[in-house]
Amino acid sequence: MTTKAVLCFLLRDGEVLLIRKKRGFGAGKINGVGGRIEPGEKPEEAAVREVFEEVGVRVRSLESVGTLEFYSFDSNPDWIVYVFLSRDFEGEPRESEEAAPRWYKLSELPFTEMWEDDRVWLLHALSGKRFQGRFWFDREYSRLLKWQISVR
């Protein structure tokens, strides 16, 4: 069964807000703020909710930049992730049970502590380019095997 989720990257003054995930899938890794889409929820609604729940920031507007599909052992994706940017938000990020937030300079992203696929698509997303990516991992999601990406 495919899980649908969102990622949202808050941008300000040449920096991006990333979190160190504290629990659940990907715990310990640095990533954008996000999570699963709840039943009946639109991706945009999920992104706004997840940012508020995880870091206490209220997103006022979003820009949709891409879609990611992740596969491990099946021809159906394990995950479909909708990726958003926001430059219009209020509040200062705070730590929660799920996430430890930190601002990073766009020129100093911590790729060695992030998912392996982030090296392929994240800079496109942060520059506002539209993209669609498909990524195949091993069964444990410990190694990226191949990928396809289109950028507009």
Side-chain angles (χ1 to χ4, degrees):
M1 188 170 106
T2 301
T3 301
K4 293 186 177 182
V6 294
L7 280 173
C8 186
F9 296 91
L10 305 182
L11 298 171
R12 72 169 190 198
D13 302 324
E15 294 182 317
V16 61
L17 184 73
L18 300 175
I19 61 166
R20 184 173 303 277
K21 194 154 169 32
K22 294 166 81 175
R23 64 183 188 195
F25 186 70
K29 292 194 180 290
I30 294 176
N31 204 349
V33 182
R36 296 168 198 249
I37 299 172
E38 293 180 356
E41 196 174 39
K42 294 178 182 168
E44 295 81 2
E45 295 167 336
V48 169
R49 176 185 52 76
E50 286 287 347
V51 170
F52 185 73
E53 288 177 1
E54 290 189 358
V55 298
V57 171
R58 292 193 186 279
V59 172
R60 292 190 291 238
S61 68
L62 290 169
E63 176 186 357
S64 175
V65 290
T67 306
L68 303 166
E69 294 179 6
F70 296 99
Y71 301 81
S72 61
F73 60 90
D74 196 351
S75 60
N76 295 317
D78 300 322
W79 295 86
I80 296 175
V81 180
Y82 301 91
V83 182
F84 298 93
L85 303 180
S86 180
R87 294 175 182 84
D88 185 14
F89 52 88
E90 61 183 324
E92 279 301 311
R94 54 142 178 79
E95 189 164 341
S96 68
E97 292 180 7
E98 293 185 56
R102 180 179 155 199
W103 291 100
Y104 289 86
K105 291 183 180 177
L106 291 172
S107 60
E108 298 175 6
L109 297 176
F111 284 117
T112 59
E113 299 178 69
M114 300 174 81
W115 285 100
E116 197 175 350
D117 60 278
D118 291 348
R119 295 173 190 258
V120 176
W121 64 268
L122 184 55
L123 292 176
H124 297 300
L126 296 178
S127 68
K129 293 179 182 169
R130 304 293 186 263
F131 69 93
Q132 183 170 23
R134 299 173 79 194
F135 300 88
W136 288 264
F137 280 82
D138 62 9
R139 214 176 256 275
E140 294 77 35
Y141 274 83
S142 61
R143 193 166 63 98
L144 180 61
L145 304 175
K146 68 177 183 173
W147 68 85
Q148 296 173 344
I149 188 165
S150 63
V151 180
R152 303 185 291 279

